[in-house]
Amino acid sequence: MNARTSTDAARWFAGAAAARSTESPVALAAGARWDAVKMPVGLVHAAVGGTNCHVASAVMGQRLDGPVIHDAGRYYYALVAAGTVETWRSPLAVVLGRGSWVVTPRPGVAHASGLHWCVPVRSPGHLCNAVAVAELLADGQRALGEHGSAREGAYRDLVGHTATCATCRAGVSCPTSAHLGRAWREAR
């Protein structure tokens, strides 16, 4: 990808050049140009076979073929077509659409600690395939093991809460989701 394509992709993604005038992460509204599938880090790591950022980047770059943000230690956000929130059926992740905000790293921040691009935006309009995202999550669930375990129950509680909580749907962790997230991590 050349510098021009990278700049065009960043402008398209942000919706306006002014939205990226800062070097800091920026909260961008989901639902107009893209939606974001908020994927738990443990489920993604189980699906890709490890916790190494380079491995996750390579596997998701190939399988999802679109941009992915990593909020290190918390979530991955696969950027999918706007409107996916209306058709998403997987109980394994929440889709953030209209009315939701996603904190995004500045273009070019990859493989860093904290918020970074696991798979960068390559070109305007090039997004992850939502079906491939759901398949990746299902692979992660299978890798984690048996249904009905305490781990699965804790995970279902967390996903159920984040799917209905207005604060969580806006991309911000509320105290309840923090508590449920700790319970899920402890059950693993």
Side-chain angles (χ1 to χ4, degrees), residues 70-162:
H70 185 203
D71 184 359
R74 299 183 62 196
Y75 294 99
Y76 285 92
Y77 296 85
L79 304 182
V80 295
T84 298
V85 69
E86 303 299 327
T87 59
W88 185 260
R89 299 292 176 252
S90 173
L92 300 174
V94 174
V95 178
L96 305 173
R98 280 206 191 278
S100 299
W101 293 81
V102 178
V103 177
T104 63
R106 66 182 168 82
V109 175
H111 304 296
S113 60
L115 187 69
H116 64 276
W117 289 101
C118 181
V119 181
V121 177
R122 286 188 287 198
S123 61
H126 190 94
L127 297 166
C128 295
N129 179 304
V131 172
V133 174
E135 289 170 355
L136 179 86
L137 294 168
D139 289 348
Q141 183 182 37
R142 280 189 291 280
L144 286 176
E146 58 197 323
H147 298 282
S149 68
R151 174 181 56 221
E152 292 296 322
Y155 181 71
R156 276 193 303 276
D157 291 346
L158 175 61
V159 170
H161 170 76
T162 58

Side-chain angles (χ1 to χ4, degrees), residues 11-69:
R11 284 186 178 146
W12 170 84
F13 172 71
R20 273 292 171 203
S21 62
T22 179
E23 294 296 309
S24 302
V26 174
L28 297 175
R33 295 176 184 266
W34 45 265
D35 286 352
V37 180
K38 183 179 179 181
M39 306 179 294
V41 80
L43 202 56
V44 171
H45 288 169
V48 301
T51 61
N52 180 292
C53 188
H54 296 288
V55 170
S57 177
V59 171
M60 285 194 287
Q62 184 175 40
R63 286 190 65 183
L64 305 183
D65 190 36
V68 179
I69 297 168

